[in-house]
Amino acid sequence: MGAEASGSGPALRELVREAETSLLECKVCFERFGHRQQRRPRNLPCGHVVCLACVAALAHPRTLALECPFCRRACRGCDTSDCLPVLHLLELLGSALRPAPAAPRAAPSAPGVLTCHHAFGGWGTLVNPTGLALCPKTGRVVVVHDGRRRVKIFDAGGGCAHQFGEKGDAAQDIRYPLDVTVTNDCHVVVTDAGDRSIKVFDFFGQIKLVIGGQFSLPWGVETTPQNGVMVTDAEAGSLHLLEIDFPEGVLRRTERLQTHLCHPRGVAVSWLTGAIAVLEHPLAVGTGACSTTVKVFSASMQLIGQVDAFGLSLFFPSKITASAVTFDHQGNVIVADTSNLAVLCLGKPEEFPVLKPIITHGLSHPVALTFTKENSLLVLDSAAHSIKVYKVDWG
């Protein structure tokens, strides 16, 4: 009986945490719902739930007209009502929602630990962003998201410099972007799950090439040092290398590098060694739950490192769910972890896994990572609709 109780503890904590993040926080301001007036959960007529403070912020001051931030349905602030199921859930969980004591962590000023220096984007500027890339020539930040114009380019100060890629069904439009990369000659390459294609634009947003009919579900995309394009196909379980004449807008060659991957999504290429990291998302047998595996191949596609969620659990006290992967300038594999809201260094592939948390605070749902030439780490936080810039804080 005692064993059952001790075994149920982590599962219960996981359930409470899932309820807190999925049901008990406002998805506009990401503040926790509560019984206080400003944080009371309110039903919109469309069925979406936001806090009273966000209803007041979104409503027109005179007419009280507002638009649902999720489905865009028009309504009035006075048409909202208390969301009783959420209020009842708050009462039922009660003290279980009080924050647990923080686990011991490395001091923020320790070498290698990163702290957030600033952030840009935010709700409205970005809407549910999914992919992040840097232009190697200009240093500008390129993000794909669910806005009316799917591709947004930010300057060094975090201001919006340009946007393009209309939401629509035309061949040159972008239906549902999953990832983005910028080539060495400043072309923007987007994976579009809506029509299962790869779309190539110049840096000003002019369509150059649409590659359709070759992929079941193109997902991750990354540029190689030789200006090739790596693409994962999540449904086909494959990894592809595309050779494209970007100025002419012509696909020269497609090579299938791997064919037996388990639902591969994220992909990264080390510019130091040429190594290729792939994030797999296999389904756990009998549960339907999704796990993650990090595989690293050499430039000649030999498997040189691999670690799955079970292997990581031997070094870390809680479940790790890798949502993004990149390499740092020393060739270390870096992953974003949505279970612990952290970023972890796994070490070099031949040392797997040397687990070291490098970001442990300030993230809500990290989905993409990239390093700048100055060694800052950019983290795309989908739940906060923003890009967060982390640097080593030497105290």
Side-chain angles (χ1 to χ4, degrees):
M1 191 73 179
E4 286 181 14
S6 63
S8 66
L12 180 60
R13 286 194 296 272
E14 184 70 23
L15 181 62
V16 170
R17 179 175 182 165
E18 182 66 25
E20 186 175 11
T21 56
S22 300
L23 302 174
L24 300 182
E25 69 175 25
C26 174
K27 295 304 180 184
V28 176
C29 65
F30 296 99
E31 294 288 340
R32 186 184 299 169
F33 290 128
H35 293 279
R36 290 186 299 110
Q37 187 70 9
Q38 291 301 303
R39 294 297 163 218
R40 288 184 75 83
R42 301 288 290 180
N43 286 313
L44 300 181
C46 57
H48 289 109
V49 181
V50 299
C51 69
L52 183 59
C54 288
V55 171
L58 293 168
H60 188 280
R62 184 170 53 83
T63 66
L64 300 182
L66 63 90
E67 188 179 74
C68 173
F70 306 107
C71 67
R72 308 299 183 189
R73 177 175 167 180
C75 64
R76 298 181 66 208
C78 57
D79 295 333
T80 66
S81 59
D82 276 344
C83 182
L84 295 180
V86 171
L87 289 171
H88 292 162
L89 190 57
L90 283 166
E91 291 176 1
L92 284 171
L93 292 177
S95 60
L97 289 178
R98 293 190 190 116
R105 285 170 172 162
S109 59
V113 176
L114 308 181
T115 55
C116 186
H117 279 235
H118 68 279
F120 55 93
W123 173 260
T125 301
L126 293 174
V127 180
N128 302 325
T130 54
L132 168 74
L134 270 178
C135 177
K137 283 190 176 179
T138 66
R140 291 190 166 183
V141 179
V142 181
V143 178
V144 289
H145 70 131
D146 199 29
R148 290 193 175 111
R149 292 184 178 178
R150 303 303 214 182
V151 181
K152 188 155 286 196
I153 299 176
F154 296 90
D155 59 28
C160 180
H162 186 42
Q163 54 185 334
F164 59 85
E166 297 292 331
K167 177 180 179 179
D169 296 332
Q172 72 275 13
D173 293 338
I174 301 176
R175 298 185 187 183
Y176 190 82
L178 290 177
D179 200 7
V180 63
T181 189
V182 183
T183 65
N184 304 336
D185 52 358
C186 298
H187 285 82
V188 178
V189 184
V190 178
T191 49
D192 188 346
D195 58 4
R196 302 170 186 250
S197 70
I198 309 291
K199 290 172 182 173
V200 181
F201 302 83
D202 66 23
F203 209 62
F204 302 102
Q206 295 298 311
I207 189 73
K208 301 288 289 188
L209 177 65
V210 177
I211 305 170
Q214 298 193 28
F215 303 99
S216 299
L217 183 59
W219 198 296
V221 63
E222 179 76 314
T223 302
T224 72
Q226 298 78 30
N227 214 35
V229 175
M230 290 277 184
V231 180
T232 59
D233 190 325
E235 274 191 13
S238 53
L239 175 68
H240 304 256
L241 175 62
L242 311 182
E243 294 182 8
I244 300 172
D245 184 333
F246 291 102
E248 295 297 323
V250 176
L251 175 64
R252 297 294 186 193
R253 181 169 170 264
T254 302
E255 182 180 358
R256 189 173 296 179
L257 302 178
Q258 290 288 323
T259 56
H260 298 292
L261 301 171
C262 288
H263 305 288
R265 296 183 186 177
V267 60
V269 179
S270 170
W271 284 50
L272 178 67
T273 65
I276 302 156
V278 177
L279 274 186
E280 293 182 312
H281 291 255
L283 293 176
V285 178
T287 66
C290 192
S291 179
T292 52
T293 300
V294 182
K295 286 184 177 178
V296 183
F297 301 90
S298 67
S300 58
M301 293 311 298
Q302 300 298 310
L303 184 64
I304 58 174
Q306 174 176 330
V307 64
D308 59 13
F310 175 75
L312 291 172
S313 71
L314 300 177
F315 298 85
F316 205 70
S318 60
K319 175 186 174 184
I320 291 174
T321 306
S323 58
V325 63
T326 191
F327 288 91
D328 68 10
H329 296 308
Q330 289 74 46
N332 294 300
V333 177
I334 311 295
V335 297
D337 173 18
T338 53
S339 289
N340 298 284
L341 309 181
V343 175
L344 312 172
C345 175
L346 303 184
K348 295 180 171 61
E350 59 272 15
E351 302 168 346
F352 265 11
V354 182
L355 192 65
K356 177 183 178 183
I358 59 174
I359 298 175
T360 57
H361 294 81
L363 296 176
S364 302
H365 192 76
V367 295
L369 307 167
T370 191
F371 279 91
T372 68
K373 290 180 180 178
E374 297 76 28
N375 212 31
S376 296
L377 176 60
L378 306 185
V379 182
L380 183 63
D381 193 332
S382 180
H385 313 280
S386 63
I387 301 102
K388 297 177 179 178
V389 182
Y390 286 81
K391 300 179 182 181
V392 174
D393 188 350
W394 298 94

